[in-house]
């Protein structure tokens, strides 16, 4: 189960007061500003008021050439750099002011705040140590608390927070952040709500409340707060072009302006993505990322880049891996990134890459992986070389999870007996979360025997956890697959497949095509052909409806069902019916013939060729004619379709690069097309006819 990144940089916003007014970055090169004699002060302050910081800097830098130690010029340049989010440059400029004017504590504080914004927390704390002004005491304590919070030093954070005025909104926010990090999400929410009530409204505090609801899995109120943030951002700042990417047109970047940061729009859209992704509403999750204010890829924050990578894993895995790996190599990155990269490598069976990443980044393993996750990854990688040892590791992990599940089951029962509805809700949430952690471990154990085709053992392993997992969708789906693969328990397979399909009867194309195919095959093997035909008719109607609504959207559900049924009949020796199903599955040829579908189709034709060549079968002349006509059509529409993909090509499935192709001398793998192989197959059938 992939974890999701929600807060910017994986951190909660602390909403510390800024000494500077909100500003925006300028896109493009600043124009040359001409200033009349005696108008310098007025011009500079006018530019700053209009948020034209680059132009203001240009004039101020020119003045510094004549007066290199000008207090006013240095102070305003530092201010402009801060508003342009050049925090390191701002800190360096304030450092000059501190050396020139060591008695002015304001400059020391501004230097510390710039260092904090630049991510130099220890340096910021050291800069604070020289501030003696009573007027700045509260602000210094808040800044030091924020630095310690970012360094995960909660004890020091609490110490500084206790010295602040307790009913001050900023203090309440810091207290809320501490509670959040301690995973006391409801208590944290109350602190943020208290601060919001005092301030009337603040985008970042509203986001923090939404994040607390998200962590408590209360998605409805979380979405309500996020929608409010988005609507306010759109109405207050239409120049941020929210939703302009949805139409698919290239839109000019709005940059990472201070205005954009103040609205918390990026954080809100990322959190909306997380909720939709968690609920498996992938289209809505994709829409949340598209609706963000437009920025170039170079301008994207780590959280957005992480979430884009996560979403692309299903359609463009190479791009997804590239983004996640980039983040790991260029810290800081969201805490979930490292674990997700390893889990996805394992999901796509790149076990050696996962092992290398794990071995080369032991420091990241310590910081970002829980002990359970580390043990799970180690076991799943080990299963490729030492399955017996891996099974023992999985078994130890499973024992820990089962013990925790039993404990939570008792808590649920106790809460029910006490009629404690809130306690029961919490225990149920904890149980669901613990079960989600146990399921991958259970499936890891089962996969060891699945890979060696010991399906009765897989069944036994899964049934041992029925008391906890019997209502879990993944467990039910894998039980169905296990019964199906045993080839003598199709009735049991139907029992598990059918509820999955009926649950989405009105939206069949959302169900994995293999589930529908296996259900139809199970019906056929139990001589219930009418039921299989009925489901296939329903799939066909759904695809026709989809085509009417979205003509450009492709669906291969019926194609896969027919391919599976055709392959089944061919494997049983019923070639005439099986081959007819395979040919039917690829109609219309211009849409259904592609690398993957051709791979499975040609296997049936090759099997038929081999059987005919051994004189083990005689087929009708009409079947020969149909086959030759089909191969002619495939040759017509397959001129640009490769029959193999390179192992690292985006979207390549395991089937297309781990298997053999039709061997012909003088023709490289990547030069073979469907047209070429169709003509080769036709030649074989014509030889058999002679």
């Amino acid at each position: 189960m992939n974890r999701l990144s929600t807060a910017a940089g994986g951190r909660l916003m602390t909403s510390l007061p800024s000494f500077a007014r909100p500003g925006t970055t300028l896109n493009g090169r600043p124009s040359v500003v001409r200033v009349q004699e005696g108008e310098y002060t007025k011009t500079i302050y006018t530019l700053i008021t209009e948020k034209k910081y680059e132009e203001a800097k240009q004039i101020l830098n020119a003045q510094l050439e004549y007066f290199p130690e000008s207090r006013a010029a240095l102070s305003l340049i530092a201010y402009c750099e801060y508003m342009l989010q050049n925090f390191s440059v701002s800190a360096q400029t304030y450092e000059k002011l501190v050396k020139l004017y060591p008695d002015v504590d304001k400059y020391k504080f501004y230097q510390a705040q710039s260092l904090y914004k630049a991510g130099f927390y220890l340096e910021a704390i050291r800069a604070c140590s020289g501030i003696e002004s009573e007027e700045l005491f509260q602000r210094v304590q808040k800044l030091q608390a924020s630095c310690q919070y970012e360094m995960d030093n909660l004890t020091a954070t609490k110490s500084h927070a206790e010295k602040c005025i307790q009913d001050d909104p900023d203090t309440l926010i810091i207290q809320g952040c501490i509670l959040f990090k301690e995973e006391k999400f409801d208590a944290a929410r109350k602190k943020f709500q208290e601060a919001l009530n005092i301030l009337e409204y603040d985008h970042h505090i509203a986001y923090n409340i939404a994040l607390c609801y998200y962590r408590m899995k209360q998605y409805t109120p979380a979405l309500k707060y996020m929608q409010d943030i988005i609507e306010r951002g759109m109405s207050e700042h239409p120049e941020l072009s929210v939703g302009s990417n949805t139409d698919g047109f290239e839109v000019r970047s709005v940059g990472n302006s201070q205005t954009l940061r103040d609205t918390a729009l990026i954080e809100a859209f990322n959190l909306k993505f997380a909720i939709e992704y968690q609920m498996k509403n992938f289209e809505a999750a994709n829409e949340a990322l598209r609706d963000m204010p437009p920025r170039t890829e170079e301008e994207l924050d780590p959280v957005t880049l992480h979430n884009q990578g996560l979403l692309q894993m299903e359609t463009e895995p190479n791009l997804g891996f590239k983004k996640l790996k980039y983040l790991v190599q260029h810290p800081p990155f969201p805490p979930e990134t490292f674990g997700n990269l390893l889990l996805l490598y394992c999901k796509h069976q790149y076990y050696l890459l996962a092992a290398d990443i794990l071995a080369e980044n032991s420091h990241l393993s310590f910081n970002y992986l829980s002990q359970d996750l580390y043990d799970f990854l180690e076991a799943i990688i080990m299963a490729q070389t030492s399955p017996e040892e891996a099974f023992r590791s999985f078994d130890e992990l499973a024992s820990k999870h089962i013990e925790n599940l039993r404990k939570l089951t008792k808590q649920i029962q106790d809460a029910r007996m006490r009629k404690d509805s809130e306690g029961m809700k919490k225990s149920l949430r904890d149980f669901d979360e613990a079960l989600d952690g146990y399921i991958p471990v259970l499936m890891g154990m089962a996969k060891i025997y699945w890979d060696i085709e010991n399906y009765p053992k897989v069944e036994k392993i899964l049934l041992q956890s029925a008391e906890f997992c019997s209502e879990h969708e993944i467990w039910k789906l894998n039980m169905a697959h296990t019964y199906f693969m045993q080839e003598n328990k199709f009735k049991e397979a139907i029992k598990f497949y059918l509820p999955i399909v009926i649950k989405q009867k009105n939206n069949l194309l959302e169900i994995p095509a293999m589930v529908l195919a296996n259900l139809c095959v199970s019906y056929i093997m139990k001589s219930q052909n009418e039921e299989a035909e009925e489901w296939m008719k329903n799939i066909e109607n759904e695809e026709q409806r989809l085509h009417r609504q979205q003509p450009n959207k492709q669906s291969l559900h019926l194609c896969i069902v027919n391919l599976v049924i055709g392959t089944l009949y061919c494997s049983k020796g019923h070639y005439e019916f099986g081959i007819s199903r395979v040919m039917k599955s690829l109609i219309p040829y211009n849409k259904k013939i592609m690398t993957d579908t051709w791979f499975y189709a040609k296997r049936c034709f090759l099997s038929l060729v081999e059987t005919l060549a051994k004189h083990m079968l005689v087929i009708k002349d009409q079947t020969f004619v149909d086959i030759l006509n089909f191969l002619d059509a495939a040759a017509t529409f397959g001129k640009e379709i490769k029959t193999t993909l390179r192992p690292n090509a985006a979207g390549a499935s395991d089937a297309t690069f781990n298997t053999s192709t039709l061997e012909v001398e003088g023709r490289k793998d990547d030069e073979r097309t469907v047209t070429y192989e169709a003509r080769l197959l036709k030649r074989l059938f014509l030889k058999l006819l002679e």
Side-chain angles (χ1 to χ4, degrees), residues 610-624:
E610 183 181 11
T611 305
L612 290 171
K614 292 178 180 178
H615 302 289
M616 297 169 63
L617 178 73
V618 176
I619 60 174
K620 298 174 185 175
D621 289 345
Q622 185 59 46
T623 304
F624 269 112

Side-chain angles (χ1 to χ4, degrees), residues 622-638:
Q622 185 59 46
T623 304
F624 269 112
V625 172
D626 292 341
I627 290 171
L628 295 175
N629 288 338
F630 168 78
L631 293 173
D632 285 339
T636 302
F637 293 103

Side-chain angles (χ1 to χ4, degrees), residues 467-503:
E467 63 172 305
F468 301 115
C469 308
S470 59
E471 297 303 316
H472 200 283
E473 295 300 322
I474 293 175
W475 183 87
K476 289 191 284 188
L477 180 60
N478 283 296
M479 278 303 305
H481 291 332
T482 304
Y483 284 130
F484 179 84
M485 293 303 294
Q486 292 184 60
E487 297 188 359
N488 61 353
K489 295 187 175 181
F490 291 110
K491 184 178 179 181
E492 290 83 353
I494 292 170
K495 179 183 172 184
F496 280 94
Y497 279 131
L498 193 56
I500 296 170
V501 175
I502 289 175
K503 189 176 180 181

Side-chain angles (χ1 to χ4, degrees), residues 122-274:
L122 285 174
E123 292 83 350
I125 291 169
R126 281 197 290 270
C128 286
S129 62
I131 301 173
E132 298 176 356
S133 169
E134 287 293 324
E135 182 184 346
L136 294 172
F137 178 78
Q138 289 292 316
R139 297 175 74 181
V140 169
Q141 292 303 318
K142 293 171 191 174
L143 183 56
Q144 287 183 316
S146 297
C147 291
Q148 296 290 356
Y149 178 85
E150 294 294 343
M151 294 190 295
D152 294 326
N153 188 344
L154 289 187
T155 304
T157 306
K158 289 177 183 178
S159 175
H160 287 295
E162 287 168 1
K163 297 174 185 176
C164 300
I165 299 170
Q166 295 303 295
D167 59 355
D168 182 81
D170 293 322
T171 307
L172 292 169
I173 293 166
I174 293 170
Q175 290 171 349
C177 289
I178 293 168
L179 291 165
F180 184 92
K181 193 163 278 192
E182 291 175 339
E183 298 190 358
K184 299 174 182 176
F185 303 120
D186 195 46
R189 179 194 62 78
K190 289 174 181 175
K191 288 290 182 183
F192 293 136
Q193 190 66 61
E194 196 176 338
L196 192 65
N197 293 340
I198 295 171
L199 295 173
E200 293 187 2
Y201 192 80
D202 180 278
H203 296 274
H204 290 295
I205 301 175
Y207 166 74
N208 288 350
I209 294 170
L211 189 58
C212 290
Y213 277 122
Y214 169 77
R215 294 302 297 269
M216 292 188 290
K217 299 189 184 300
Q218 297 181 28
Y219 297 146
T220 302
L223 286 168
K224 178 180 174 295
Y225 273 92
M226 283 185 295
Q227 194 58 37
D228 192 32
I229 293 169
I230 292 166
E231 287 175 0
R232 284 174 182 264
M234 290 173 67
S235 62
E236 293 171 8
H237 299 283
E239 73 277 9
L240 293 177
S241 304
V242 172
S244 58
N245 281 329
T246 307
D247 298 329
F249 300 109
E250 188 174 342
V251 185
R252 186 174 179 178
S253 167
V254 298
N256 286 312
S257 64
Q258 187 64 38
T259 302
L260 180 60
R261 290 172 185 263
D262 290 340
T263 59
L265 280 169
I266 300 301
E267 290 87 346
F269 277 117
N270 273 319
L271 186 52
K272 185 178 181 181
F273 163 86

